[in-house]
Amino acid sequence: MALLSAGRAVNRDAVILYKAQPDVEAGLRKGLVANENTAHLCDAVLHKCDPIAAIDASDEVWTMTSLLGFEALLRGKTVTCLGAPFYAGWGLTRDLGPVPAWRSTEITLESLVHAAFIDNPRYFDSITQQPCPAEVVLERLASGKVTKPKLLNRILSKLQGLLASKAHFWLS
């Protein structure tokens, strides 16, 4: 509600579309806002919509900490953050919430992308069973040379799907 209230206060005449965080919408996290509570703050609530289509249809994106804001930056959209996601505070977003002081240096979007996808992550080659650079993973994905998930992975994936609908047991 704070995000919607802030967005409406600054953009009184805008068409505001609200999309809940996917884990919240699926019931895996707390924070779902009832539609009747949003009627005065947004023009529509987007349920189970393609987030990239929503970004592409928007002029700007307001977020707390969602990766949707990072996706919007990658697509050249103006992004306003009320929280402090990893991409806030570098001069790429309009930051309405506190961000760590050490992020005061302005960087380019290309530098942020490099840090997020090349410098920071650790990649694992499923063929050689060894750590590898991002280029090897990209090559595997492009060529289709990836190992099939093992039985344990498939069982864990199915179990996760079954338990997802029971999130209310551990979220309350």
Side-chain angles (χ1 to χ4, degrees), residues 8 11 29 35 37 43 51-52 56 67 77 97 101 115 119 136-137 142 145 147 161-162:
R8 179 53 75 196
N11 302 286
R29 290 173 124 179
N35 285 355
N37 295 337
D43 298 285
I52 303 306
D56 290 343
L67 279 175
K77 301 295 180 169
D119 283 344
V136 171
V137 173
K145 290 183 180 179
T147 58
L162 290 171

Side-chain angles (χ1 to χ4, degrees), residues 1 14 35-36 39 42-43 51 65 82 84 86 97 100 105 127-128 134 137 141 145 148-150 154 156 163 167:
M1 291 300 291
N35 285 355
E36 58 271 9
C42 70
D43 298 285
T65 60
L82 275 68
F86 75 92
T105 304
I127 303 291
T128 66
V137 173
L141 291 171
K145 290 183 180 179
K148 298 226 186 276
K150 305 266 190 275
R154 293 199 333 260
L156 286 173
L163 292 175

Side-chain angles (χ1 to χ4, degrees), residues 47-116:
H47 294 288
K48 298 181 181 177
C49 77
D50 175 2
I52 303 306
I55 291 170
D56 290 343
S58 70
D59 292 326
E60 62 182 88
V61 171
W62 282 55
T63 184
M64 303 278 287
T65 60
S66 174
L67 279 175
L68 194 73
F70 184 57
E71 294 285 348
L73 279 177
L74 295 175
R75 287 162 177 76
K77 301 295 180 169
T78 299
V79 177
T80 299
C81 298
L82 275 68
F86 75 92
Y87 52 87
W90 302 109
L92 302 171
T93 55
R94 181 171 42 178
D95 302 310
L96 301 182
V99 293
W102 53 267
R103 289 192 197 169
S104 61
T105 304
E106 288 194 11
I107 64 171
T108 65
L109 181 58
E110 291 78 12
S111 295
L112 181 64
V113 169
H114 192 273

